[in-house]
Amino acid sequence: MDVFRWIRQELTPKPTLSGEFIYDVMASQSGYSLPIIYQPFDANKSWHWRERGAAFDFLASTGGGRLLDFGPGDGWPSLIVAPYADTVIGVDGSARRVEVCTANARRLGITNAHFLQVAAGAPLPFEEASFDGVMAASSVEQTPDPKAALREFYRVLKPGGRLRISYEALSRYRNGQERDLWLWEIDAAACRLILYDRDIAGERAEQYGLTFKISGAELTKIFADGADFLTFDKITVRDLEALRAAITDARVCTLTHPSGATLVEWLHEINFSAVLPTHSGADFAERLFDRLPAGERPQDQAGVDTVLRPSVEIVVQMAAPVGLDPMMTAVK
């Protein structure tokens, strides 16, 4: 029997939204890895350049001013963009994420970024035309109705205001990753196994979360049969049946992942005056790091910013074929 069919028939997983499914129980969505928010910026790390490029991407695309950050996670990009903006308001469906963002802002001494919980799928609690820009970093696809979220962005944007969105199109998982897994260690005695069933053509993904009252290392040992890591092909109905008594919770979260082409269509339908798929400031920053000889790279954050910021401001205006880079700007 198919693994997903067995889960549906034997465990009757509870349908949940993404906040309850995973984000409410994460102390840190990023694993405490974010530069500046959790770690000192290191100019010798390419991924620190990438994060800086991504932040300048959102800043340049939205223009600063009064900004809305939809789904800020651990406070990204809100807390990175805040020093260059008038005000940033972050909204998230997860109460835990709002608590984490607020605590991080307080610890970093950032006073112009504020966070509030808004139930997933609910209208935004703001008046029409109240924001200069909206930032949505891989968050629209986490909502029950992505198109409705885009309509809300349009409503709260001022005329001429800009939406900058990054998105996770399922085409990136083609040819082998349509069915996949992620094993998350909750603590020393519990773990959650998340199994992905991605329908690329249908732009839809189902995530099944099984919580076990054993450690991730123990679960890997059972399923992987001696291998060092766990892959989807190692998950069998036989082993699931053997471990059934250890399963304490079963959930399913179904999400729509619009492709770039679908997003362009929706944004035009919603009446945005211009929709522009562009190149990514994050990708540019990482490639620049790789191209620069080590001796020619800036060695501190100020130096990196001097090099990156004006270049990213150009990159985010450069049109890219839909789907080449998962970044898009829409103008009200």
Side-chain angles (χ1 to χ4, degrees), residues 209-266:
L210 307 181
T211 302
F212 294 82
K213 56 181 179 182
I214 58 176
S215 71
E218 290 178 276
L219 192 73
T220 299
K221 184 177 180 180
I222 293 168
F223 278 115
D225 194 24
D228 293 332
F229 58 93
L230 189 56
T231 55
F232 183 85
D233 61 290
K234 299 290 185 181
I235 306 299
T236 67
V237 169
R238 181 191 62 188
D239 286 334
L240 285 171
E241 288 176 335
L243 285 167
R244 184 166 182 168
I247 299 174
T248 60
D249 185 74
R251 304 183 181 214
V252 60
C253 179
T254 303
L255 298 174
T256 298
H257 285 253
S259 64
T262 296
L263 283 172
V264 169
E265 179 183 334
W266 286 355

Side-chain angles (χ1 to χ4, degrees), residues 53-63 67-70 77 132-140 150 153 157 161-167 267 272 275-283 312-320 325-331:
F56 284 134
D57 180 310
F58 280 103
L59 182 66
S61 300
T62 57
L67 302 179
L68 173 68
D69 183 6
F70 186 75
D132 299 294
V134 176
M135 305 178 292
S138 299
S139 54
V140 169
L150 297 175
F153 298 160
L157 275 170
R162 291 172 172 260
L163 163 66
R164 184 61 164 175
I165 180 173
S166 64
Y167 59 96
L267 291 165
F272 279 91
V275 180
L276 181 65
T278 79
H279 289 283
S280 159
D283 288 347
V312 169
E313 289 174 352
I314 296 171
V315 168
V316 299
Q317 299 179 56
M318 297 173 62
D325 278 316
M327 301 297 300
M328 200 170 294
T329 296
V331 184

Side-chain angles (χ1 to χ4, degrees), residues 74-96:
D74 286 351
W76 196 96
S78 301
L79 299 179
I80 305 301
V81 168
Y84 307 94
D86 293 337
T87 304
V88 183
I89 307 295
V91 299
D92 204 293
S94 165
R96 182 70 177 276

